[in-house]
């Protein structure tokens, strides 16, 4: 983990800038360090990926304190600004503001809240995605903004996921902007970006738009630049890449009764030590441990 504090771009700058911003999913200290080394400038602390890596389902089975602990490891290991998937806020306005305050204390730069109830279910699972009442959800947003005014607050609209149309999504976006959101995340489970681009056209840049193209991955990012979308979240690809790599490695070691075959395929131990800055520790040992 990096001990030196870094001067860093703020999440607010990234989301407000006119350039298209990418937030890369991470779900623990190691994946956060890998994303930072790869060159990403900000991270998405994905609820799906954090749950999965802990062995939970993305249905609020992981407690909010478990999520906060993971985010702290990500912040320490990467020094990047982190937008945290706060799900629906783990309850009412009071739970949401407590979560946000604790996330800020532990190094997060922003929190995204979705307009559903507790417990939520991952947006790509099944068809039961009851929406929260818009006024009640706006209260959750206001409470978070009042409690942590300098944190980026992203309001996530689940209307399209829940089967409502663009009109409901736009009415909710207006209400959430009024409640103090800094950006709107519009989510879709369609395999093309049509409804997202329609939303962007009608929303007309009133607040920055954040999208999660997990299902409409074929659309090139040039379409998002043209539509003046602010931020694209690559939401779960470190977690899914880890599954593929670990499955292949386990299968091979079991079948070959040897680790010789996988050795050239897996990261070297030197890479592990580099990612976690072991050099910094040995320099500190030279400085602080008594010389013999
Ligand atoms: C997550 O990464 O947990 C998200 C995005 O919320 S999604 O899985 O698409 O709902
Ligand atoms: Mg999520």
């Amino acid at each position: 983990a990096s001990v030196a504090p870094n001067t860093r771009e703020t999440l607010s700058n990234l989301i407000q800038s006119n350039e298209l911003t990418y937030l890369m999913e991470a779900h623990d200290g190691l994946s956060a360090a890998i994303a930072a080394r790869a060159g990403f400038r900000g991270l998405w602390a994905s609820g799906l990926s954090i749950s999965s890596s802990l062995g939970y389902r993305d249905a609020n089975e992981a407690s909010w304190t478990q999520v906060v602990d993971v985010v702290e490891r990500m912040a320490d290991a990467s020094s990047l600004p982190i937008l945290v998937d706060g799900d629906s806020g783990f309850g009412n306005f009071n739970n949401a503001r407590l979560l946000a305050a604790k996330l800020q204390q532990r190094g997060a730069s922003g929190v995204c809240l979705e307009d559903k109830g507790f417990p939520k279910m991952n947006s790509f699972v099944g068809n039961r995605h009851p929406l929260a009442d818009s006024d009640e959800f706006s209260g959750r947003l206001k409470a978070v903004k009042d409690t942590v005014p300098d944190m980026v607050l992203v309001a996530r609209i689940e209307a399209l996921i829940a089967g409502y149309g663009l009109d409901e999504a736009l009415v909710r976006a207006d209400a959430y902007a009024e409640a103090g959101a800094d950006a709107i995340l519009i989510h879709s489970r369609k395999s093309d970006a049509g409804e997202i681009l329609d939303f962007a056209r009608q929303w007309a840049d009133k607040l920055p738009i954040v999208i999660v193209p997990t299902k409409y991955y074929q659309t090139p990012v040039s379409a998002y630049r043209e539509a003046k979308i602010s931020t694209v979240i690559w939401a779960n690809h470190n977690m899914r890449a880890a599954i593929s790599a670990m499955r292949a490695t386990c299968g091979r070691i079991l079948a070959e009764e040897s680790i010789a075959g996988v050795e050239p395929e897996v990261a070297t131990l030197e890479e592990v030590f580099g990612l976690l800055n072991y050099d910094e520790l040995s320099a500190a040992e030279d400085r602080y441990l008594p010389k013999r």
Side-chain angles (χ1 to χ4, degrees), residues 38-60:
F40 283 101
R41 290 152 66 186
L43 299 177
W44 167 246
S46 155
L48 172 63
S49 300
I50 291 172
S51 309
S52 303
S53 76
L54 293 173
Y56 286 122
R57 292 168 288 208
D58 186 17
N60 286 133

Side-chain angles (χ1 to χ4, degrees), residues 232-250:
V232 173
I233 295 177
W234 310 121
N236 47 49
H237 300 76
N238 269 330
M239 179 270 290
R240 288 164 60 195
I243 290 175
S244 313
M246 290 191 280
R247 187 179 50 223
T249 303
C250 284

Side-chain angles (χ1 to χ4, degrees), residues 44-49 58 85-87 114 120-123 156:
W44 167 246
S46 155
L48 172 63
S49 300
D58 186 17
D85 180 357
D87 289 334
E114 64 197 54
K120 57 69 67 70
M121 172 50 81
N122 183 273
S123 303
R156 165 166 159 179

Side-chain angles (χ1 to χ4, degrees), residues 204-258:
D205 223 12
K206 283 185 261 183
L207 279 182
I209 294 180
V210 181
I211 63 169
V212 184
T214 299
K215 292 285 182 183
Y216 48 97
Y217 54 83
Q218 302 277 14
T219 306
V221 294
S222 54
Y224 307 138
R225 281 203 182 88
E226 265 167 47
K228 296 210 165 32
I229 280 163
S230 146
T231 301
V232 173
I233 295 177
W234 310 121
N236 47 49
H237 300 76
N238 269 330
M239 179 270 290
R240 288 164 60 195
I243 290 175
S244 313
M246 290 191 280
R247 187 179 50 223
T249 303
C250 284
R252 245 182 111 171
I253 293 174
L254 185 68
E256 295 173 7
E257 296 182 79
S258 167

